[in-house]
Short mmCIF file of all heavy atoms in Angstrom, two decimals:
data_model
loop_
_atom_site.label_atom_id
_atom_site.label_comp_id
_atom_site.label_asym_id
_atom_site.label_seq_id
_atom_site.Cartn_x
_atom_site.Cartn_y
_atom_site.Cartn_z
N MET A 1 78.30 162.21 -2.94
CA MET A 1 77.09 162.85 -2.50
C MET A 1 76.15 161.75 -1.93
O MET A 1 75.91 160.73 -2.57
CB MET A 1 76.41 163.60 -3.59
CG MET A 1 75.08 164.14 -3.21
SD MET A 1 74.30 165.23 -4.42
CE MET A 1 74.23 164.21 -5.88
N LYS A 2 75.65 161.94 -0.72
CA LYS A 2 74.78 160.97 -0.09
C LYS A 2 73.45 161.64 0.26
O LYS A 2 73.40 162.77 0.75
CB LYS A 2 75.42 160.47 1.20
CG LYS A 2 74.69 159.30 1.84
CD LYS A 2 75.51 158.75 2.98
CE LYS A 2 74.86 157.53 3.57
NZ LYS A 2 75.65 156.95 4.68
N THR A 3 72.36 160.97 -0.07
CA THR A 3 71.00 161.50 0.20
C THR A 3 70.27 160.52 1.11
O THR A 3 70.35 159.34 0.94
CB THR A 3 70.25 161.64 -1.14
OG1 THR A 3 70.97 162.52 -1.99
CG2 THR A 3 68.87 162.21 -0.89
N ALA A 4 69.51 161.07 2.08
CA ALA A 4 68.67 160.26 2.96
C ALA A 4 67.24 160.74 2.83
O ALA A 4 67.00 161.88 2.47
CB ALA A 4 69.13 160.42 4.42
N ALA A 5 66.30 159.85 3.13
CA ALA A 5 64.88 160.19 3.04
C ALA A 5 64.25 159.98 4.42
O ALA A 5 64.60 159.10 5.17
CB ALA A 5 64.18 159.31 2.01
N ILE A 6 63.31 160.88 4.75
CA ILE A 6 62.55 160.79 6.00
C ILE A 6 61.08 160.79 5.65
O ILE A 6 60.60 161.65 4.91
CB ILE A 6 62.84 161.99 6.87
CG1 ILE A 6 64.31 162.08 7.25
CG2 ILE A 6 61.99 161.95 8.18
CD1 ILE A 6 64.71 163.35 7.99
N ILE A 7 60.32 159.79 6.15
CA ILE A 7 58.88 159.80 6.02
C ILE A 7 58.36 160.56 7.23
O ILE A 7 58.61 160.20 8.37
CB ILE A 7 58.30 158.37 5.96
CG1 ILE A 7 58.90 157.63 4.76
CG2 ILE A 7 56.78 158.36 5.93
CD1 ILE A 7 58.60 156.17 4.76
N CYS A 8 57.60 161.64 6.97
CA CYS A 8 57.23 162.54 8.08
C CYS A 8 55.88 163.24 7.84
O CYS A 8 55.36 163.18 6.77
CB CYS A 8 58.34 163.57 8.24
SG CYS A 8 58.67 164.49 6.74
N GLU A 9 55.45 163.87 8.89
CA GLU A 9 54.24 164.74 8.80
C GLU A 9 54.64 166.20 8.96
O GLU A 9 54.25 167.02 8.19
CB GLU A 9 53.23 164.34 9.86
CG GLU A 9 52.50 163.08 9.48
CD GLU A 9 51.34 162.79 10.43
OE1 GLU A 9 51.15 163.48 11.42
OE2 GLU A 9 50.59 161.85 10.13
N TYR A 10 55.39 166.55 10.03
CA TYR A 10 55.79 167.94 10.26
C TYR A 10 54.57 168.84 10.17
O TYR A 10 54.50 169.74 9.32
CB TYR A 10 56.87 168.35 9.33
CG TYR A 10 58.17 167.58 9.43
CD1 TYR A 10 59.09 167.61 8.42
CD2 TYR A 10 58.49 166.88 10.56
CE1 TYR A 10 60.30 166.92 8.50
CE2 TYR A 10 59.68 166.17 10.65
CZ TYR A 10 60.58 166.20 9.62
OH TYR A 10 61.78 165.52 9.71
N ASN A 11 53.59 168.63 11.03
CA ASN A 11 52.29 169.26 10.93
C ASN A 11 51.95 170.11 12.16
O ASN A 11 51.32 169.61 13.07
CB ASN A 11 51.22 168.20 10.70
CG ASN A 11 49.84 168.77 10.51
OD1 ASN A 11 49.67 169.76 9.82
ND2 ASN A 11 48.84 168.17 11.15
N PRO A 12 52.37 171.39 12.26
CA PRO A 12 53.20 172.11 11.33
C PRO A 12 54.68 171.96 11.70
O PRO A 12 55.02 171.41 12.75
CB PRO A 12 52.79 173.56 11.57
CG PRO A 12 52.41 173.61 13.03
CD PRO A 12 51.80 172.23 13.29
N PHE A 13 55.55 172.44 10.83
CA PHE A 13 57.00 172.33 11.01
C PHE A 13 57.44 173.21 12.17
O PHE A 13 57.00 174.34 12.37
CB PHE A 13 57.70 172.80 9.73
CG PHE A 13 59.18 172.51 9.70
CD1 PHE A 13 59.66 171.27 9.39
CD2 PHE A 13 60.06 173.52 10.10
CE1 PHE A 13 61.01 171.02 9.38
CE2 PHE A 13 61.41 173.25 10.11
CZ PHE A 13 61.92 172.01 9.73
N HIS A 14 58.32 172.64 13.04
CA HIS A 14 58.84 173.40 14.19
C HIS A 14 60.31 173.05 14.43
O HIS A 14 60.88 172.22 13.70
CB HIS A 14 57.99 173.20 15.44
CG HIS A 14 57.87 171.74 15.86
ND1 HIS A 14 58.86 171.06 16.41
CD2 HIS A 14 56.79 170.94 15.82
CE1 HIS A 14 58.47 169.82 16.70
NE2 HIS A 14 57.16 169.74 16.34
N ASN A 15 60.94 173.66 15.41
CA ASN A 15 62.38 173.48 15.65
C ASN A 15 62.74 172.03 15.97
O ASN A 15 63.85 171.62 15.67
CB ASN A 15 62.85 174.42 16.75
CG ASN A 15 62.93 175.84 16.28
OD1 ASN A 15 63.08 176.11 15.11
ND2 ASN A 15 62.81 176.78 17.21
N GLY A 16 61.88 171.26 16.61
CA GLY A 16 62.17 169.86 16.85
C GLY A 16 62.29 169.08 15.55
O GLY A 16 63.10 168.18 15.49
N HIS A 17 61.51 169.45 14.55
CA HIS A 17 61.63 168.79 13.24
C HIS A 17 62.94 169.18 12.59
O HIS A 17 63.57 168.35 11.93
CB HIS A 17 60.43 169.19 12.38
CG HIS A 17 59.10 168.71 12.93
ND1 HIS A 17 58.02 169.51 12.98
CD2 HIS A 17 58.72 167.54 13.44
CE1 HIS A 17 57.02 168.83 13.48
NE2 HIS A 17 57.43 167.65 13.79
N LEU A 18 63.35 170.44 12.72
CA LEU A 18 64.63 170.87 12.17
C LEU A 18 65.74 170.09 12.81
O LEU A 18 66.66 169.62 12.14
CB LEU A 18 64.82 172.38 12.38
CG LEU A 18 66.09 172.94 11.84
CD1 LEU A 18 66.24 172.74 10.33
CD2 LEU A 18 66.18 174.44 12.17
N TYR A 19 65.67 169.89 14.12
CA TYR A 19 66.64 169.08 14.85
C TYR A 19 66.68 167.66 14.28
O TYR A 19 67.76 167.07 14.05
CB TYR A 19 66.34 169.08 16.32
CG TYR A 19 67.25 168.19 17.16
CD1 TYR A 19 68.51 168.59 17.47
CD2 TYR A 19 66.82 166.91 17.52
CE1 TYR A 19 69.38 167.76 18.20
CE2 TYR A 19 67.65 166.09 18.29
CZ TYR A 19 68.94 166.52 18.61
OH TYR A 19 69.77 165.69 19.33
N HIS A 20 65.54 167.08 14.04
CA HIS A 20 65.42 165.72 13.48
C HIS A 20 66.15 165.62 12.12
O HIS A 20 66.93 164.72 11.89
CB HIS A 20 63.94 165.36 13.29
CG HIS A 20 63.72 164.02 12.69
ND1 HIS A 20 62.85 163.86 11.64
CD2 HIS A 20 64.24 162.82 12.96
CE1 HIS A 20 62.83 162.60 11.28
NE2 HIS A 20 63.67 161.93 12.07
N ILE A 21 65.95 166.63 11.29
CA ILE A 21 66.59 166.66 9.96
C ILE A 21 68.12 166.80 10.11
O ILE A 21 68.86 166.07 9.49
CB ILE A 21 65.99 167.79 9.10
CG1 ILE A 21 64.54 167.44 8.74
CG2 ILE A 21 66.85 168.02 7.85
CD1 ILE A 21 63.78 168.60 8.06
N GLU A 22 68.51 167.74 10.96
CA GLU A 22 69.97 167.98 11.14
C GLU A 22 70.67 166.75 11.73
O GLU A 22 71.78 166.41 11.30
CB GLU A 22 70.19 169.20 11.96
CG GLU A 22 69.81 170.49 11.27
CD GLU A 22 69.88 171.74 12.10
OE1 GLU A 22 69.99 171.59 13.37
OE2 GLU A 22 69.80 172.84 11.55
N GLU A 23 70.05 166.09 12.68
CA GLU A 23 70.65 164.88 13.26
C GLU A 23 70.69 163.73 12.27
O GLU A 23 71.66 162.96 12.24
CB GLU A 23 69.86 164.45 14.51
CG GLU A 23 70.19 165.29 15.73
CD GLU A 23 71.63 165.13 16.15
OE1 GLU A 23 71.98 164.05 16.70
OE2 GLU A 23 72.41 166.09 15.96
N THR A 24 69.65 163.61 11.45
CA THR A 24 69.67 162.57 10.40
C THR A 24 70.84 162.80 9.44
O THR A 24 71.59 161.88 9.12
CB THR A 24 68.34 162.58 9.64
OG1 THR A 24 67.26 162.28 10.55
CG2 THR A 24 68.33 161.54 8.52
N LYS A 25 71.02 164.06 9.02
CA LYS A 25 72.15 164.37 8.17
C LYS A 25 73.50 164.07 8.85
O LYS A 25 74.39 163.47 8.26
CB LYS A 25 72.12 165.85 7.78
CG LYS A 25 71.05 166.15 6.72
CD LYS A 25 71.03 167.63 6.39
CE LYS A 25 72.17 168.01 5.50
NZ LYS A 25 72.07 169.37 5.01
N ARG A 26 73.62 164.42 10.13
CA ARG A 26 74.89 164.22 10.84
C ARG A 26 75.20 162.73 11.01
O ARG A 26 76.29 162.28 10.71
CB ARG A 26 74.82 164.93 12.22
CG ARG A 26 76.13 164.84 13.03
CD ARG A 26 75.95 165.40 14.41
NE ARG A 26 75.03 164.63 15.24
CZ ARG A 26 75.36 163.51 15.85
NH1 ARG A 26 76.54 162.98 15.72
NH2 ARG A 26 74.46 162.93 16.64
N ILE A 27 74.18 162.00 11.52
CA ILE A 27 74.43 160.58 11.81
C ILE A 27 74.71 159.76 10.55
O ILE A 27 75.58 158.89 10.53
CB ILE A 27 73.20 160.00 12.59
CG1 ILE A 27 73.14 160.62 13.97
CG2 ILE A 27 73.26 158.49 12.66
CD1 ILE A 27 71.87 160.36 14.75
N LEU A 28 73.98 160.03 9.48
CA LEU A 28 74.12 159.28 8.25
C LEU A 28 75.18 159.88 7.31
O LEU A 28 75.53 159.26 6.32
CB LEU A 28 72.76 159.17 7.54
CG LEU A 28 71.68 158.43 8.26
CD1 LEU A 28 70.38 158.47 7.45
CD2 LEU A 28 72.08 157.02 8.57
N GLY A 29 75.64 161.08 7.63
CA GLY A 29 76.63 161.73 6.73
C GLY A 29 76.00 162.13 5.42
O GLY A 29 76.66 162.17 4.40
N ALA A 30 74.70 162.49 5.45
CA ALA A 30 73.99 162.83 4.23
C ALA A 30 74.24 164.28 3.86
O ALA A 30 74.32 165.16 4.70
CB ALA A 30 72.51 162.60 4.42
N ASP A 31 74.32 164.51 2.58
CA ASP A 31 74.43 165.89 2.05
C ASP A 31 73.05 166.51 1.84
O ASP A 31 72.88 167.73 1.95
CB ASP A 31 75.18 165.90 0.72
CG ASP A 31 76.57 165.34 0.86
OD1 ASP A 31 77.34 165.86 1.66
OD2 ASP A 31 76.87 164.28 0.19
N TYR A 32 72.07 165.67 1.53
CA TYR A 32 70.70 166.10 1.27
C TYR A 32 69.70 165.21 2.00
O TYR A 32 69.95 164.05 2.22
CB TYR A 32 70.41 166.06 -0.25
CG TYR A 32 71.34 166.92 -1.05
CD1 TYR A 32 72.45 166.41 -1.68
CD2 TYR A 32 71.11 168.33 -1.15
CE1 TYR A 32 73.30 167.23 -2.40
CE2 TYR A 32 71.94 169.12 -1.89
CZ TYR A 32 73.03 168.58 -2.50
OH TYR A 32 73.87 169.38 -3.21
N ILE A 33 68.53 165.80 2.27
CA ILE A 33 67.43 165.07 2.85
C ILE A 33 66.19 165.26 1.97
O ILE A 33 65.91 166.36 1.53
CB ILE A 33 67.08 165.61 4.26
CG1 ILE A 33 68.24 165.40 5.24
CG2 ILE A 33 65.78 164.98 4.79
CD1 ILE A 33 68.48 163.98 5.65
N ILE A 34 65.52 164.15 1.69
CA ILE A 34 64.26 164.19 0.97
C ILE A 34 63.18 163.94 2.02
O ILE A 34 63.23 162.90 2.72
CB ILE A 34 64.20 163.14 -0.14
CG1 ILE A 34 65.27 163.44 -1.18
CG2 ILE A 34 62.81 163.11 -0.76
CD1 ILE A 34 65.41 162.36 -2.22
N ALA A 35 62.22 164.84 2.16
CA ALA A 35 61.11 164.65 3.10
C ALA A 35 59.88 164.15 2.33
O ALA A 35 59.37 164.84 1.47
CB ALA A 35 60.81 165.98 3.83
N LEU A 36 59.41 162.96 2.69
CA LEU A 36 58.21 162.41 2.10
C LEU A 36 57.07 162.68 3.04
O LEU A 36 56.97 162.11 4.10
CB LEU A 36 58.39 160.88 1.88
CG LEU A 36 59.63 160.51 1.05
CD1 LEU A 36 59.93 159.05 1.20
CD2 LEU A 36 59.38 160.90 -0.36
N MET A 37 56.22 163.66 2.64
CA MET A 37 55.21 164.17 3.56
C MET A 37 53.81 163.79 3.10
O MET A 37 53.54 163.55 1.93
CB MET A 37 55.33 165.69 3.64
CG MET A 37 56.67 166.11 4.14
SD MET A 37 56.88 167.90 4.18
CE MET A 37 55.79 168.37 5.50
N SER A 38 52.89 163.75 4.08
CA SER A 38 51.49 163.47 3.76
C SER A 38 50.86 164.65 3.05
O SER A 38 51.42 165.74 2.97
CB SER A 38 50.75 163.20 5.08
OG SER A 38 50.90 164.26 5.97
N GLY A 39 49.65 164.42 2.52
CA GLY A 39 48.94 165.46 1.76
C GLY A 39 48.09 166.33 2.65
O GLY A 39 48.51 166.80 3.72
N ASN A 40 46.84 166.58 2.24
CA ASN A 40 45.95 167.46 2.99
C ASN A 40 45.40 166.77 4.24
O ASN A 40 44.83 167.42 5.10
CB ASN A 40 44.76 167.89 2.10
CG ASN A 40 45.19 168.94 1.11
OD1 ASN A 40 46.11 169.70 1.33
ND2 ASN A 40 44.58 168.90 -0.04
N TYR A 41 45.58 165.45 4.35
CA TYR A 41 45.17 164.70 5.55
C TYR A 41 46.42 163.98 6.06
O TYR A 41 47.17 163.38 5.31
CB TYR A 41 44.06 163.72 5.26
CG TYR A 41 42.76 164.45 4.95
CD1 TYR A 41 42.47 164.80 3.63
CD2 TYR A 41 41.91 164.80 5.95
CE1 TYR A 41 41.31 165.51 3.33
CE2 TYR A 41 40.76 165.52 5.65
CZ TYR A 41 40.46 165.85 4.35
OH TYR A 41 39.33 166.54 4.07
N VAL A 42 46.63 164.02 7.39
CA VAL A 42 47.79 163.42 8.00
C VAL A 42 47.63 161.90 8.16
O VAL A 42 46.50 161.40 7.97
CB VAL A 42 48.14 164.08 9.34
CG1 VAL A 42 48.51 165.54 9.10
CG2 VAL A 42 47.01 163.97 10.31
N GLN A 43 48.65 161.21 8.58
CA GLN A 43 48.61 159.75 8.72
C GLN A 43 47.56 159.27 9.70
O GLN A 43 47.04 158.19 9.58
CB GLN A 43 49.98 159.27 9.16
CG GLN A 43 51.04 159.53 8.07
CD GLN A 43 52.45 159.23 8.58
OE1 GLN A 43 52.66 158.68 9.65
NE2 GLN A 43 53.44 159.64 7.79
N ARG A 44 47.20 160.10 10.66
CA ARG A 44 46.19 159.72 11.67
C ARG A 44 44.77 160.00 11.19
O ARG A 44 43.81 159.79 11.92
CB ARG A 44 46.46 160.46 12.96
CG ARG A 44 47.74 160.02 13.62
CD ARG A 44 47.99 160.82 14.91
NE ARG A 44 49.33 160.55 15.39
CZ ARG A 44 50.39 161.29 15.06
NH1 ARG A 44 50.28 162.30 14.24
NH2 ARG A 44 51.57 160.99 15.54
N GLY A 45 44.59 160.59 10.03
CA GLY A 45 43.29 160.79 9.42
C GLY A 45 42.71 162.19 9.60
O GLY A 45 41.68 162.52 9.00
N GLY A 46 43.35 163.04 10.38
CA GLY A 46 42.89 164.37 10.58
C GLY A 46 43.37 165.31 9.48
O GLY A 46 44.26 164.97 8.71
N PRO A 47 42.75 166.47 9.37
CA PRO A 47 43.19 167.43 8.35
C PRO A 47 44.53 168.04 8.71
O PRO A 47 44.85 168.26 9.87
CB PRO A 47 42.08 168.50 8.39
CG PRO A 47 41.47 168.40 9.72
CD PRO A 47 41.59 166.97 10.14
N ALA A 48 45.33 168.29 7.70
CA ALA A 48 46.64 168.93 7.92
C ALA A 48 46.45 170.42 8.20
O ALA A 48 45.52 171.03 7.73
CB ALA A 48 47.53 168.76 6.69
N VAL A 49 47.36 170.99 9.00
CA VAL A 49 47.30 172.39 9.35
C VAL A 49 47.58 173.23 8.12
O VAL A 49 46.99 174.32 7.93
CB VAL A 49 48.31 172.71 10.47
CG1 VAL A 49 48.38 174.17 10.75
CG2 VAL A 49 47.96 171.95 11.72
N ILE A 50 48.47 172.78 7.27
CA ILE A 50 48.87 173.51 6.04
C ILE A 50 48.54 172.69 4.82
O ILE A 50 48.77 171.49 4.80
CB ILE A 50 50.40 173.82 6.09
CG1 ILE A 50 50.73 174.67 7.32
CG2 ILE A 50 50.84 174.55 4.83
CD1 ILE A 50 52.19 174.82 7.61
N GLU A 51 47.99 173.30 3.80
CA GLU A 51 47.70 172.62 2.55
C GLU A 51 48.94 172.01 1.93
O GLU A 51 50.02 172.59 2.00
CB GLU A 51 47.07 173.56 1.53
CG GLU A 51 45.64 173.97 1.89
CD GLU A 51 45.03 174.83 0.77
OE1 GLU A 51 45.32 174.56 -0.40
OE2 GLU A 51 44.28 175.73 1.11
N LYS A 52 48.76 170.87 1.30
CA LYS A 52 49.92 170.16 0.72
C LYS A 52 50.76 171.00 -0.27
O LYS A 52 51.96 170.90 -0.31
CB LYS A 52 49.51 168.84 0.06
CG LYS A 52 48.62 168.98 -1.15
CD LYS A 52 48.25 167.65 -1.70
CE LYS A 52 47.31 167.77 -2.89
NZ LYS A 52 46.89 166.47 -3.38
N LYS A 53 50.11 171.86 -1.03
CA LYS A 53 50.84 172.68 -2.01
C LYS A 53 51.70 173.73 -1.34
O LYS A 53 52.63 174.26 -1.94
CB LYS A 53 49.89 173.31 -3.01
CG LYS A 53 48.95 174.32 -2.40
CD LYS A 53 48.01 174.89 -3.47
CE LYS A 53 47.05 175.88 -2.85
NZ LYS A 53 46.15 176.47 -3.81
N ASN A 54 51.41 174.06 -0.07
CA ASN A 54 52.20 175.06 0.66
C ASN A 54 53.24 174.49 1.60
O ASN A 54 54.09 175.24 2.10
CB ASN A 54 51.28 175.98 1.43
CG ASN A 54 50.32 176.73 0.54
OD1 ASN A 54 50.68 177.13 -0.54
ND2 ASN A 54 49.08 176.92 0.99
N LYS A 55 53.20 173.21 1.87
CA LYS A 55 54.11 172.58 2.85
C LYS A 55 55.58 172.76 2.44
O LYS A 55 56.42 173.03 3.31
CB LYS A 55 53.81 171.10 3.02
CG LYS A 55 52.58 170.87 3.82
CD LYS A 55 52.40 169.37 4.03
CE LYS A 55 51.10 169.12 4.76
NZ LYS A 55 50.94 167.67 4.99
N SER A 56 55.90 172.62 1.19
CA SER A 56 57.30 172.70 0.79
C SER A 56 57.89 174.08 1.00
O SER A 56 59.08 174.27 1.06
CB SER A 56 57.46 172.26 -0.68
OG SER A 56 56.80 173.17 -1.50
N GLN A 57 57.05 175.08 1.12
CA GLN A 57 57.53 176.44 1.30
C GLN A 57 57.82 176.75 2.74
O GLN A 57 58.44 177.75 3.07
CB GLN A 57 56.50 177.44 0.77
CG GLN A 57 56.26 177.27 -0.70
CD GLN A 57 55.06 178.09 -1.19
OE1 GLN A 57 54.47 178.85 -0.43
NE2 GLN A 57 54.71 177.92 -2.48
N ASN A 58 57.38 175.89 3.71
CA ASN A 58 57.51 176.16 5.12
C ASN A 58 58.65 175.45 5.81
O ASN A 58 59.02 175.78 6.91
CB ASN A 58 56.20 175.84 5.82
CG ASN A 58 55.07 176.70 5.38
OD1 ASN A 58 55.23 177.91 5.37
ND2 ASN A 58 53.97 176.10 4.95
N GLY A 59 59.23 174.44 5.21
CA GLY A 59 60.31 173.69 5.80
C GLY A 59 61.67 174.35 5.49
O GLY A 59 61.73 175.43 4.87
N PRO A 60 62.70 173.71 5.97
CA PRO A 60 64.07 174.27 5.69
C PRO A 60 64.40 174.09 4.23
O PRO A 60 63.94 173.15 3.60
CB PRO A 60 64.96 173.43 6.60
CG PRO A 60 64.24 172.15 6.76
CD PRO A 60 62.77 172.50 6.73
N HIS A 61 65.18 174.96 3.70
CA HIS A 61 65.62 174.90 2.32
C HIS A 61 67.14 174.89 2.29
O HIS A 61 67.79 175.24 3.27
CB HIS A 61 65.07 176.05 1.52
CG HIS A 61 63.57 176.08 1.51
ND1 HIS A 61 62.81 175.27 0.70
CD2 HIS A 61 62.70 176.82 2.27
CE1 HIS A 61 61.53 175.49 0.95
NE2 HIS A 61 61.44 176.42 1.89
N GLU A 62 67.71 174.54 1.15
CA GLU A 62 69.14 174.53 1.01
C GLU A 62 69.71 175.87 1.36
O GLU A 62 69.24 176.93 0.94
CB GLU A 62 69.50 174.17 -0.46
CG GLU A 62 70.98 174.07 -0.67
CD GLU A 62 71.64 172.93 0.06
OE1 GLU A 62 70.96 171.91 0.33
OE2 GLU A 62 72.84 173.04 0.39
N ARG A 63 70.69 175.85 2.23
CA ARG A 63 71.36 177.09 2.66
C ARG A 63 72.71 177.19 1.98
O ARG A 63 73.41 176.23 1.83
CB ARG A 63 71.52 177.10 4.16
CG ARG A 63 70.22 177.01 4.90
CD ARG A 63 70.48 176.97 6.38
NE ARG A 63 69.28 176.46 7.00
CZ ARG A 63 69.29 175.82 8.13
NH1 ARG A 63 70.36 175.63 8.79
NH2 ARG A 63 68.16 175.33 8.66
N SER A 64 73.12 178.40 1.63
CA SER A 64 74.41 178.54 1.02
C SER A 64 75.43 179.01 2.01
O SER A 64 75.18 179.30 3.09
CB SER A 64 74.38 179.51 -0.13
OG SER A 64 73.55 180.62 0.15
#
């Protein structure tokens, strides 16, 4: 089992971000991706579109 991590904002999450995750998995041969995301304020200092407690519910999840 191989895991990769991505430092990201995904503010808000869209199909281009999904492509980024899928390509990272494909290129690295990863089974899982860990997304390290910013909180209520993004890296550029502005407010995030989605509160940090809700971000994990909006991204892709493990599919069976």
Side-chain angles (χ1 to χ4, degrees):
M1 174 174 55
K2 189 172 183 179
T3 302
I6 300 173
I7 299 171
C8 56
E9 283 189 354
Y10 297 162
N11 183 43
F13 189 83
H14 56 72
N15 287 335
H17 296 135
L18 180 59
Y19 175 79
H20 177 229
I21 292 169
E22 290 174 347
E23 282 296 288
T24 300
K25 286 178 75 173
R26 183 185 67 78
I27 292 168
L28 298 177
D31 300 302
Y32 300 98
I33 296 289
I34 297 172
L36 304 165
M37 300 176 70
S38 55
N40 288 328
Y41 291 90
V42 297
Q43 296 171 9
R44 294 178 190 91
V49 174
I50 300 170
E51 289 185 35
K52 65 181 178 182
K53 65 181 180 180
N54 297 324
K55 285 183 184 181
S56 64
Q57 298 170 5
N58 294 310
H61 299 282
E62 183 65 28
R63 299 178 199 153
S64 40

